[in-house]
Amino acid sequence: MTIQRTTLIRPLAAVAMVTVSTFAALAQKAPVPTRVRGTIESVNGDTMQVKSRSGEEVKLHLASDVNVSGITKISLADIKPGSFVGATTVPGPDGSQNAVEVHVFPEDMRGTGEGSRPWDLKPNSSMTNATVAESVVGNDGHTLLVKYRDGEKKVFVADNTPVVTFVPGDKSDLKTGAKVIAFMKQLPDGSFEANRVSVGRDGLTPPM
């Protein structure tokens, strides 16, 4: 009986080790990128070549219904109570949330992506899309209390923090040399398709 149990245990242990190894390999796979930031190198029909900020060449197929918007500078003073904003923040040494950039959504984009989530602009950064409930002006910037469905957050926006907004755009804005952030998905054949592209106007680099 002891011999039979040992015989059974050994194959089961081997299967368990293979299963653990498989899960470990899956866990180590690099995540599929969902956005690329960089400079347009070329546009040929529905294909756009982008050189990413890390120097990689990324080839994107533009979806037939691709949404293109422009990004333009505005003033920190343009952020007012009631504005629906997106703020990329990083934690300060004291736990406060410091804005790396803020983008003010036009009224027809109110509610876009409402909530707070991890973001890939900088290490430990997060993106919060929310309504400004209060704006307190200080000596070196504004402190915003922003509220969203599941919570609220205080965000400090320094005077030199980039503040931008979206303006209407179209595919003609996708030109060589333009700075973009393109939101994309991977297709079954391994290629990438962009369904939304934000383009900096007048040489502006989208700060988000």
Side-chain angles (χ1 to χ4, degrees):
M1 181 65 71
T2 302
I3 294 174
Q4 290 178 337
R5 289 182 62 187
T6 303
T7 305
L8 287 171
I9 289 170
R10 284 176 178 170
L12 289 173
V15 170
M17 290 176 65
V18 170
T19 302
V20 170
S21 299
T22 302
F23 278 120
L26 289 172
Q28 291 174 0
K29 285 182 67 178
V32 176
T34 56
R35 60 188 69 86
V36 60
R37 302 170 177 87
T39 304
I40 296 176
E41 296 216 307
S42 66
V43 179
N44 185 7
D46 289 330
T47 300
M48 181 171 72
Q49 189 88 11
V50 176
K51 186 169 186 177
S52 76
R53 63 179 183 175
S54 58
E56 298 169 333
E57 301 285 344
V58 182
K59 188 176 183 179
L60 300 172
H61 170 72
L62 298 173
S64 58
D65 59 348
V66 63
N67 181 300
V68 179
S69 57
I71 300 287
T72 187
K73 288 182 180 180
I74 58 174
S75 167
L76 178 54
D78 291 319
I79 302 176
K80 303 181 185 301
S83 296
F84 187 78
V85 304
T88 303
T89 60
V90 292
D94 59 355
S96 61
Q97 292 293 316
N98 299 321
V100 176
E101 64 84 28
V102 180
H103 48 281
V104 180
F105 289 97
E107 193 57 33
D108 62 357
M109 295 178 70
R110 179 176 290 276
T112 300
E114 184 173 354
S116 189
R117 63 197 67 82
W119 196 242
D120 62 349
L121 184 64
K122 289 179 175 290
N124 300 317
S125 64
S126 61
M127 173 66 74
T128 302
N129 290 3
T131 301
V132 177
E134 297 176 8
S135 177
V136 179
V137 181
N139 293 330
D140 52 357
H142 291 192
T143 298
L144 308 178
L145 174 63
V146 298
K147 294 188 176 183
Y148 47 96
R149 279 190 298 268
D150 301 324
E152 62 182 42
K153 184 181 289 189
K154 280 190 175 180
V155 176
F156 175 70
V157 187
D159 286 334
N160 61 351
T161 301
V163 180
V164 298
T165 192
F166 296 95
V167 294
D170 57 43
K171 288 178 70 172
S172 66
D173 293 316
L174 304 180
K175 301 174 182 177
T176 300
K179 311 292 186 181
V180 298
I181 174 171
F183 297 82
M184 61 193 188
K185 65 178 180 180
Q186 190 169 32
L187 300 178
D189 64 2
S191 64
F192 290 97
E193 180 179 75
N195 54 17
R196 181 158 60 97
V197 184
S198 296
V199 189
R201 291 284 177 84
D202 302 319
L204 176 71
T205 298
M208 68 285 292

